[in-house]
Amino acid sequence: MRSLGRRLRALLTTAAATTAAAGLLVATAAAVPGGPSDAPAQTVRAAAGAAAPKPTVVLVHGGFADASNWNGVITELQKDGYTVAAPANPLRGLPTDSAYLASFLTSVKGPIVLVGHSYGGAVITNAAAGNPQVKALVYVAAFVPDEGETLGRLIQKYPGSEIQAALTPVPYTNADGTTGEDLYLRPDRFRDVFAADVPLRNTRVMAAGQRPFSATAFTDTTTAAAWRTIPSWGLVATADKAIPPALERFEYRRAHSRVVEVRGASHAVPVSHPVTVANLIEDASRSTAE
C-alpha cells in the first residue's frame, strides 16, 4: 500500500509540473510579439481602435412645439448609446434661428447627425451649410427649402395643409418699439391639425404649452441649402395636415433623400412614433460611417 501511495504521488507531481509548464509556454507566447496568441490579441485591439465613435445627434424642433416633443426619440437614442442634444429653437425667424443653431453646432465635438422636424427642417437646411462636422441631415415631416425659397410659397405648392385656417396671430412689441406677430395654433384645432394620432390628454398639454413662432418664418428667404452637399434622410407622415405629404415627398425627392413613410402618422410623428423616428436617425448614423 505504501508503495502504491508513493507511485500515485509521483504521477500527480509530474502532471502538475506538466500543466504549469504548459501554462508558462502559453503565457510566454502571448507576451512575445509574433507569438501564437499575439495575432488574435492584436486583431481585437485593432478592431476596438477602428470602431468609429457614434456621432452626436442634434434634434431641432419646429413651431408650436418645444424640445419635449423629442422626449421619446431621445430615450430610444440614449438607450442605444448615442449622445443627444435638443437645443431650444428660438422661433424668431429663419435668419435668427439658423444663426443661433449654427453657433450651437460649433460647440459640439466630433461628427453630427442633424435632425429637423417641421419648421426645424428649414432651420437645419440653412444652419448646416459649410459645417464639415455635419455628416447627415434627417428631415422629419419637415420643410426642406432650396436657396431663394420661402416657406410661405413652398407650403402652397400642394393642397392639404390646414395650418393656416387654424392659426391665431398675436401681435407683440419689441424692446426697441418695433412690432411683430406670433403665430399660435387654436387649442380647439391643435390635435386635429398637429397631433391627431396622439392621445387627447397629451395634446391638451401640448396645446397649452405650445411655443409660437414668428410670422416672418413664412416670408424669410432661405440663403443656403445644406442638403445639396450633405446626405439626407426624410420621413413622410402620410396623415400630416400641417405640411402636405405630397410636399414632403417632393422635397425629399429633390434632395435625393432616403425616405421612409409612416402610414397614418400626424405631423407630431416624433411624439406618436418615436421608435420609427429613432430608427431612421440611427440608419443615417450608420450609413455615414460606412
Side-chain angles (χ1 to χ4, degrees):
M1 291 294 293
R2 286 194 298 272
S3 175
L4 177 60
R6 285 195 295 271
R7 286 199 295 274
L8 285 172
R9 284 194 296 275
L11 287 170
L12 290 171
T13 300
T14 301
T18 302
T19 300
L24 179 62
L25 287 172
V26 170
T28 302
V32 176
S37 297
D38 189 58
Q42 287 177 335
T43 301
V44 170
R45 287 193 297 272
K54 286 183 170 68
T56 296
V57 177
V58 177
L59 305 169
V60 182
H61 66 82
F64 318 120
D66 60 22
S68 68
N69 279 210
W70 294 113
N71 284 354
V73 177
I74 293 170
T75 297
E76 294 299 321
L77 293 172
Q78 289 180 337
K79 184 174 64 178
D80 291 340
Y82 285 87
T83 298
V84 185
N89 186 350
L91 303 180
R92 296 298 84 200
L94 204 48
T96 297
D97 300 341
S98 300
Y100 176 86
L101 179 60
S103 296
F104 176 84
L105 295 176
T106 64
S107 72
V108 179
K109 306 302 181 185
I112 298 167
V113 173
L114 187 56
V115 186
H117 172 237
S118 189
Y119 165 67
V123 177
I124 71 171
T125 294
N126 285 264
N131 187 332
Q133 292 303 102
V134 179
K135 305 301 182 183
L137 301 169
V138 182
Y139 294 101
V140 180
F143 284 113
V144 189
D146 198 356
E147 187 174 348
E149 287 182 337
T150 66
L151 303 188
R153 292 290 299 275
L154 197 56
I155 202 169
Q156 294 175 9
K157 189 174 181 67
Y158 296 93
S161 176
E162 299 180 18
I163 206 81
Q164 291 90 340
L167 292 174
T168 297
V170 176
Y172 64 86
T173 303
N174 293 306
D176 62 1
T178 59
T179 60
E181 190 173 69
D182 266 340
L183 301 177
Y184 290 83
L185 278 177
R186 285 167 33 198
D188 64 323
R189 294 297 314 278
F190 188 94
R191 184 168 190 262
D192 178 48
V193 173
F194 193 83
D197 58 347
V198 177
L200 178 59
R201 64 181 181 276
N202 297 82
T203 57
R204 284 175 174 166
V205 175
M206 291 167 64
Q210 65 175 291
R211 288 186 56 210
F213 69 116
S214 173
T216 62
F218 281 106
T219 57
D220 293 329
T221 301
T222 294
T223 59
W227 50 263
R228 289 193 172 276
T229 56
I230 301 173
S232 63
W233 283 251
L235 183 147
V236 176
T238 65
D240 198 332
K241 294 181 181 179
I243 300 177
L247 177 58
E248 294 171 14
R249 294 185 184 103
F250 162 77
E251 294 173 320
Y252 303 156
R253 185 168 59 249
R254 180 173 66 176
H256 303 289
S257 305
R258 304 183 199 184
V259 180
V260 300
E261 298 206 358
V262 184
R263 187 173 299 277
S266 72
H267 191 61
V269 64
V271 179
S272 59
H273 294 82
V275 174
T276 301
V277 174
N279 287 342
L280 180 64
I281 295 169
E282 293 189 20
D283 180 56
S285 171
R286 287 188 295 268
S287 296
T288 57
E290 291 174 355

